[in-house]
Amino acid sequence: MTFLMPARDTGLWQAAEHELAAALGGRPLVAAERFASSGRTSYAGPVPIATARPALAIGCYEPWVPASPFEALTLEGRTSLRGVAQRRSWMAALDRAAQAAVRRHGRPVVAAWYATDRLRRWAGPRGTVAAVDASLRAEVEDKANFGSILDHSGVPAGLHLTGARVDGPLPGLRELRRLVRSERVVVQCGADSGGRGTVFVNDETDLARAAEMAGPYRVTAFVTGWSSNTTVLSVPDHAGCLRVYVDRPSHKAVRVSEAGVAEGKSGGNTWCLPWPEDAAARLVDAAVRIATWAWDKHRMKGLFGLDAMLTPDGKVFLNEINCRNQGTTEVSAVNQQLRGLPPFLAAHLTTMLNHPVTWLPEPDDFNAATVDLAAGPAPGPYYLKLRHRGEVPVHLDPHLALPGVYRIHEGHLRWVRPGAHPADAGPGEVLLASLPAPGTICEPGAELGTAEGITAAADAPFASPHTLSKAGRELLAAFDQHLVPADHQEGTAP
């Protein structure tokens, strides 16, 4: 039994498919992201948009059926190895092969997080990179600039963290604490992702580590509570006016030690936990203001992410902007599908190719419904990151040889059916996505995939901002049973 999506207006999906196809204009779509299955929640699952399936995907990790593009080039496929070094170097390692592979596709449209010189070389003189430019991304995402962005966007002061910009060397710890009126201080800089560029300062050792980063810096007070990601879509209409759509905000677990997630890094997100209605309304209003500022000043459009903190007493503080696709983009698309809409990603690609998008609803209506949905008990998607937390290389045993839908049985994971979309997993089931290809050696710290599904609050994988729930712990414990030291072999698949 799979999760049933709500009834959908077939005309909306036909319009989304038609407009994306028109924007591509017969050009092949090429995806360049770490996961070669990126975009799968758009082109796989119960409500697929066939045009969104890439002709070619270039990435670090191998895709799987039914999440596969038509063709894939991956570092894992060449090395049968997963690790921290591979996820940081895959683009450089595949550079020449990628150029050759993309050129075989004529006039490609390369979809990526942001447009770099390397990606423009891959696309060639006849190709297009459908992404925000890296230079604009660096300027807008620079954490030292965020306070200024909030000011210029007109975001109310109550959503600002207490903090300051430091353009020179970092002052001493006592001065930093005085500056932000907090014993614990957060120092950020640059435009990096995945928690890089952020140091939580508790003592002089932490301060020395923060000072190793190149400034300028944003220094803020530490705030306890849930971290959150919100996906925002900016779409200019035919008259040049901007329409802004704000997705349901998440609850993001960070510093989840039992899942091997370090301080400042995400262990995953869930969209099934309710927000206070007033906090959700303030967040949605701020997102619209920031999107409007980014369009007016930079003509920035398409998808971006807004990070926030939700405190135990229901206050919301904004702490970061990511003007690109994000790690949340894949699973957050299910939020739109649960509302009977095609995913934002289809509109993002269409508008990045300068083609009008007509199928989206009125933004004010959509955003008002977002607030209502966030404050209610509605089910939502989730994902839990799976990492290799041990100290020796491992591989997956044959019982966990393929991504797909699994069920926990007697402390182990048992295969149920193929799958590529969180809705493919029914009650008591989980989608294991992006698992290592058979025979792949996984080094300590390697990403082993994600556990995904759609659930209600009672079954969310996280119990608090920094801990797993009982369901989350049981899932990780069952997953660990299938990790075999790389110098051992175990059994055969049934």
Side-chain angles (χ1 to χ4, degrees):
M1 175 181 176
T2 57
F3 188 94
L4 295 177
M5 284 289 184
R8 61 189 175 100
D9 182 345
T10 304
L12 288 179
W13 259 260
Q14 291 175 340
E17 184 104 39
H18 172 77
E19 290 172 7
L20 178 56
L24 290 169
R27 297 172 291 178
L29 179 63
V30 175
E33 291 194 25
R34 188 163 82 252
F35 295 90
S37 58
S38 65
R40 58 185 163 83
T41 49
S42 296
Y43 62 77
V47 281
I49 296 177
T51 309
R53 189 183 295 269
L56 168 68
I58 304 168
C60 186
Y61 309 138
E62 281 282 275
W64 75 99
V65 177
S68 296
F70 289 102
E71 177 187 351
L73 170 66
T74 69
L75 185 59
E76 181 173 279
R78 293 186 160 206
T79 65
S80 295
L81 186 65
R82 272 199 195 191
V84 175
Q86 287 72 34
R87 73 171 179 254
R88 293 177 178 172
S89 65
W90 66 270
M91 294 190 83
L94 293 175
D95 191 40
R96 293 183 64 181
Q99 286 189 59
V102 176
R103 297 292 175 87
R104 290 196 294 271
H105 285 269
R107 298 184 305 121
V109 170
V110 179
W113 280 23
Y114 43 88
T116 62
D117 289 340
R118 170 176 279 133
L119 290 178
R120 283 186 278 267
R121 287 198 307 273
W122 289 6
R126 301 176 65 219
T128 300
V129 181
V132 65
D133 191 77
S135 60
L136 175 58
R137 174 251 177 176
E139 178 181 350
V140 175
E141 286 194 26
D142 190 328
K143 297 171 179 66
N145 294 335
F146 191 60
S148 175
I149 290 174
L150 295 181
D151 289 336
H152 287 99
S153 300
V155 172
L159 278 72
H160 297 222
L161 288 165
T162 301
R165 177 185 173 110
V166 176
D167 287 299
L170 285 170
L173 183 55
R174 179 178 296 179
E175 175 61 17
L176 280 183
R177 287 170 171 167
R178 186 200 65 79
L179 194 64
V180 301
R181 302 193 295 278
S182 173
E183 185 70 14
R184 194 176 190 199
V185 177
V186 183
V187 177
Q188 297 177 290
C189 70
D192 219 325
S193 60
R196 293 179 293 275
T198 298
V199 176
F200 296 89
V201 178
N202 301 295
D203 52 31
E204 296 290 350
T205 300
D206 295 332
L207 180 58
R209 197 156 47 89
E212 293 175 355
M213 302 188 299
Y217 308 94
R218 182 171 184 247
V219 182
T220 57
F222 176 80
V223 173
T224 59
W226 280 98
S227 294
S228 175
N229 292 122
T230 302
T231 300
V232 186
L233 174 68
S234 299
V235 179
D237 64 18
H238 65 279
C241 296
L242 192 70
R243 295 177 291 157
V244 181
Y245 299 85
V246 187
D247 189 38
R248 182 180 183 179
S250 76
H251 286 70
K252 176 169 73 173
V254 299
R255 201 180 78 237
V256 186
S257 58
E258 55 195 328
V261 178
E263 188 166 55
K265 296 186 180 295
S266 168
N269 284 263
T270 182
W271 285 267
C272 65
L273 301 178
W275 269 62
E277 184 174 356
D278 181 66
R282 288 172 176 265
L283 177 62
V284 168
D285 174 74
V288 173
R289 290 172 184 264
I290 292 170
T292 303
W293 166 85
W295 171 252
D296 290 343
K297 183 172 178 60
H298 297 292
R299 284 301 185 257
M300 192 180 97
K301 60 183 179 178
L303 286 172
F304 73 89
L306 190 61
D307 292 356
M309 293 295 302
L310 177 63
T311 67
D313 59 355
K315 294 180 181 178
V316 60
F317 296 99
L318 306 183
N319 66 334
E320 193 170 310
I321 183 174
N322 299 299
C323 58
R324 49 175 167 79
N325 292 8
Q326 305 172 93
T328 56
T329 301
E330 191 72 72
V331 177
S332 71
V334 180
N335 285 320
Q336 295 103 61
Q337 293 167 327
L338 287 172
R339 293 170 70 166
L341 289 171
F344 281 169
L345 186 60
H348 167 77
L349 288 173
T350 302
T351 199
M352 293 304 291
L353 293 169
N354 300 315
H355 192 279
V357 178
T358 66
W359 52 266
L360 287 162
E362 286 299 313
D364 289 346
D365 295 340
F366 181 91
N367 293 335
T370 291
V371 174
D372 291 341
L373 189 65
Y382 71 86
Y383 69 92
L384 168 63
K385 294 181 179 179
L386 306 173
R387 287 188 181 274
H388 175 27
R389 308 185 306 283
E391 298 180 356
V392 299
V394 297
H395 62 82
L396 298 185
D397 73 36
H399 298 280
L400 208 68
L402 293 173
V405 177
Y406 286 79
R407 180 184 293 273
I408 297 176
H409 177 70
E410 297 181 348
H412 289 69
L413 288 159
R414 293 291 180 256
W415 169 269
V416 178
R417 70 180 75 86
H421 189 285
D424 291 334
E429 299 172 347
V430 62
L431 172 70
L432 298 184
S434 304
L435 298 180
T440 298
I441 302 301
C442 302
E443 297 184 335
E447 297 174 312
L448 301 180
T450 52
E452 302 173 6
I454 299 173
T455 192
D459 296 316
F462 310 111
S464 81
H466 311 296
T467 61
L468 296 173
S469 65
K470 181 175 181 289
R473 290 194 301 273
E474 289 178 348
L475 176 59
L476 280 192
F479 185 80
D480 287 347
Q481 300 304 308
H482 300 274
L483 302 182
V484 181
D487 59 349
H488 292 75
Q489 300 295 321
E490 179 172 310
T492 57

